[in-house]
Amino acid sequence: MISKKILALSLTSFSLLAANTDAAEFRLPAFETSKLSNGLTIYLMERHDVPLIAVRAVVKAGAVNDAAQSGLSNLTGDALLLGSSKFDKKTLDQSFDFHGGRIASSTSAEATSLNADFARDDSNTLLPMIADALQHPTFNAEEFGKLRARTVDGLKQAKESPRNVVQNYYRSMLYGNGAYANPVEGTVSSVTALQTQDAQHFHKSYYRPENAALVIVGDFKPSAMRTQLEALFGKWQAAGPMPVAAVKGKVQADKARVWLVNKSDAAETTFLFGGAGIARNDPDYVPLQVINTILGGRFTSWLNDELRVNSGLTYGASSAFYTPSEAGTFAVSSFTATPKTDAALALATKTYQRLWDKGIDAATLESAKAYVKGQYPPRFETNQQLAGLLSEMFVAKVGREQIDNFMRDVDSLNLEKAKYLVDKHFPRDKLQMLLIGKAEVIREIAAKYGEVTELDITANGFAPIAK
């Protein structure tokens, strides 16, 4: 847990930034990018308002790299904190706790990162631990077994709540055999089979300096930090050639389809529908955030207004673009009591079609633009948030111009361009729909929306069982 002292300093930083941020003039703070001689990318962003440092050690090794061993990237990332060649797990845990710091791992479809936050004066103590955990994990067999068991238990429990797993089914449906369909956490059977040697091999294959970046944001002197990073990471070398990149896949939407996932004890139906979206670095990324805000990106959106406020069919409805580095997806999502499934789906699809049937009016567009501009700067106020953004930019190949021009791109969106972007990026027909609920009750409803494939939530994984 983060100490009270660091928490207080973080809140002070947040307040100062909030008071001095002018949304219309927002720019990404200055930072420098360089590479060590071994190819490791370094991002350094100085911020001296509070004596804190945020570190993100990010490796392009995520679920897309799991191949036939689903969940391996996630388990490997979590296992980095089980101890390293110089610091066992107890020493690592107690050191960060004693100094009031924080360290954790996180894995996504395309990357794994070690995320740490600590006071400036503790850099000489804690940064070497991060370096050793990243480069020289020991994957202690006993601790690895405990971690694997906890992960499997979590996977078993996840399917008790469809909203925990609905995205896994949806991406499996849309991406098919593409690597973007791989569930980050894996499946019960795949994770149960993973061994320490699997994690060791994965680490050796993908954890290499030319495939990684180190992001440092906070209170430090650049010259001293560069010297420290060279000493800690400069000798890191790759072992063998890089594995061939996986085929990430594109959305399959040649016809309207429905996946009906049976949960025989379900009291409600959870649903998604949509299709192909955009990549994170798409030039239309910013204006699409404004349009999606109108449709389903805020409490007063069309979807939430119709399905929750006006009809009472659900406690919430939304829409979102999933934007990885390549082919993304788009989905409208909600849930409703089983007897209300037919009405909720009908209203959700009708409200979605409003993008074309009625379009966006000037007042609504201006309201959404003001909302998006107001929400944007607070997303990048703390060291942790900025470190996360730089990590995302590294993985998704996003240039800083997208960040710096955000306000300009929002302001330039007009009704004509909005209509063009709706036609270009929002899937209108051949919708892909996922339903999780009591199949015997909602089977005929599902058939209204396309060719139905039935699955059972108790089955392993998130795809139909091959026949």
Side-chain angles (χ1 to χ4, degrees), residues 68-72 148 152 155 183 185-195 460:
Q69 295 176 290
S70 179
L72 178 56
R148 180 182 57 215
V152 169
L155 287 167
E185 296 84 2
T187 68
V188 170
S189 64
S190 68
V191 175
T192 299
L194 294 177
Q195 304 296 319
N460 182 67

Side-chain angles (χ1 to χ4, degrees), residues 106 160 205 285 341 354 421 439 451 453 455 459 466:
S106 61
E160 291 301 313
S205 299
Y285 175 84
T341 300
R354 182 174 167 183
L421 293 177
E451 181 180 289
T453 298
L455 302 80

